Amino acid sequence: MDTAPPSTFRLTEFSHGGGCGCKISPSVLREIIARSSPGIIPRNLLVGIETADDAAVYRINDRQAIVATTDFFMPIVDEPFDFGAIAAANALSDVYAMGGTPLFALALVGMPVDRLPVDTIRRILDGGESVCAKAGIPIAGGHTIDSVEPIYGLVAIGLVDPAQIKRNRGALAGDALILGKSLGVGIYSAALKKQKLPAGRYETMLATATQLNTPGIALGPMKGAHALTDVTGFGLLGHLLEICRASAVGAEIAFDRVPLLPDAAALANQGLVTGASSRNWASYGAEVDGDFTATERALLTDPQTSGGLLVACSPDAVDDVLRAFRSDGFDRATVIGKFVAGPPRVTVDPGRAAPIAGQASAA
């Protein structure tokens, strides 16, 4: 069995949850937001909390708008550097998911300073800085507190043309549904915590969770790409339902087209899943149709940390969208279904969904 690189202690033992599996359940979050006062809504605030989108967007002028978001969580892995790198990639993903380009970041750091060595905390920050360097941006400041559990993340600030913002609404009936990364990070994290992750899969987990969702930059100006989000703590079904609700359409998924990390299905079949998976299903399972197994449900609700982009695009734009993914090294990006007219529900088909234009390019 393979675990994280050697360490004198396990970071994951310091926290009750890890990665995007720490998120409040979708149903509770919707209730909290529904009871929130809208407050001041400036005319130039182009994107706020109205559709649970990935980031806020504020227009500066006709060609420039600021993209602002934040994300932080407890350790999903034991190696400090890797924890920082994954958390940073996850935070920057929300800028890419709006079609934006990151400008700079601020670090959010909460650490049990009486229990963690300073060198360990420094390694966490080093990991975050390494990913920001790959994105070509600085960490320009931040804030630290003494916390019971280790917490790390970023405030990420980006830039986008107001005419090229990609939101989680705008999907049309007949649009193709494309997923940019394989599912299974949450399952891997559950196996890692129980020291049952197969040999070599820690490296697989790290590679996918630190891969920056840079195709979002190319998707921004692409007129055939109608809606965009990233798959994180609510799982594929949860974030797809957000698109469906915001766009007033339904969606169909062909399960056998959904890309999975190696061994993820086998691990899920052994019961190595996170508690967030069950919370996710309890929150939105009534909005999902289809005949699928408990293992398939665990995969579709698996909380992804720094998961893939989820794209709604016209059938004739499929090749261009897949080309944008392939050019940035996303070899598993795949058409997994389509959007349909009807209520905002998701239907999961164990077999292949009806063919759509360009689908052969994703095989």
Side-chain angles (χ1 to χ4, degrees):
M1 295 296 175
D2 189 34
T3 60
S7 178
T8 56
F9 50 79
R10 302 186 67 199
L11 269 182
T12 53
E13 293 178 350
F14 284 76
S15 58
H16 73 280
C20 285
C22 299
K23 292 177 73 169
I24 294 174
S25 74
S27 59
V28 174
L29 182 59
R30 287 202 302 272
E31 184 178 355
I32 292 171
I33 292 175
R35 295 185 180 186
S36 299
S37 169
I40 298 172
I41 305 178
R43 179 173 57 87
N44 286 325
L45 182 63
L46 304 181
V47 182
I49 65 172
E50 56 277 0
T51 62
D53 224 319
D54 296 292
V57 182
Y58 190 93
R59 178 170 48 206
I60 301 172
N61 54 50
D62 289 344
R63 298 297 304 276
Q64 295 176 311
I66 291 291
V67 182
T69 183
T70 186
D71 213 314
F72 53 88
F73 45 64
M74 282 88 80
I76 187 174
V77 295
D78 293 312
E79 163 55 37
F81 185 94
D82 295 346
F83 167 41
I86 291 170
N90 182 72
L92 292 176
S93 182
D94 286 340
V95 175
Y96 296 122
M98 303 302 295
T101 300
L103 289 177
F104 66 93
L106 306 174
L108 299 173
V109 184
M111 295 291 157
V113 294
D114 59 338
R115 298 168 64 200
L116 281 183
V118 171
D119 287 347
T120 296
I121 298 173
R122 181 64 256 175
R123 287 287 292 164
I124 294 171
L125 272 59
D126 287 344
E129 290 170 0
S130 74
V131 165
C132 287
K134 290 180 183 177
I137 65 168
I139 294 182
H143 186 65
T144 60
I145 62 168
D146 187 355
S147 173
V148 175
E149 296 177 297
I151 297 171
Y152 179 72
L154 300 176
V155 173
I157 305 298
L159 195 66
V160 69
D161 185 324
Q164 297 176 1
I165 297 169
K166 286 295 182 280
R167 302 196 56 175
N168 66 359
R169 73 180 185 192
L172 303 173
D175 276 356
L177 175 61
I178 296 176
L179 176 61
K181 288 185 183 182
S182 300
L183 302 180
V185 170
I187 290 165
Y188 273 23
S189 71
L192 177 66
K193 199 161 188 176
K194 295 184 178 180
Q195 297 183 298
K196 293 184 178 181
L197 188 63
R201 294 308 174 217
Y202 181 81
E203 290 76 14
T204 305
M205 176 183 180
L206 186 61
T208 189
T210 59
Q211 187 176 23
L212 291 168
N213 276 321
T214 50
I217 298 173
L219 296 175
M222 199 177 293
K223 294 188 181 300
H226 298 149
L228 182 63
T229 192
D230 61 346
V231 179
T232 55
F234 299 157
L236 173 61
L237 289 177
H239 292 285
L240 176 53
L241 279 165
E242 287 181 337
I243 295 180
C244 290
R245 295 186 198 108
S247 306
V249 294
E252 296 177 356
I253 296 175
F255 182 82
D256 70 349
R257 294 195 63 87
V258 175
L260 304 174
L261 291 174
D263 298 317
L267 291 168
N269 198 45
Q270 296 172 38
L272 294 168
V273 298
T274 70
S277 179
S278 297
R279 292 195 299 272
N280 284 341
W281 181 253
S283 294
Y284 54 65
E287 300 169 80
V288 180
D289 302 311
D291 182 16
F292 43 89
T293 66
T295 295
E296 291 167 346
R297 188 181 79 182
L299 290 160
L300 293 172
T301 57
D302 187 46
Q304 304 305 288
T305 300
S306 190
L309 294 176
L310 194 60
V311 189
C313 69
S314 61
D316 58 6
V318 166
D319 288 340
D320 289 338
V321 171
L322 290 175
R323 193 174 299 115
F325 277 107
R326 303 282 188 263
S327 65
D328 280 6
F330 288 76
D331 297 332
R332 299 299 308 280
T334 308
V335 177
I336 63 169
K338 63 183 180 180
F339 290 90
V340 297
R345 301 181 63 83
V346 174
T347 300
V348 180
D349 186 335
R352 295 188 180 276
I356 58 177
Q359 188 161 331
S361 302

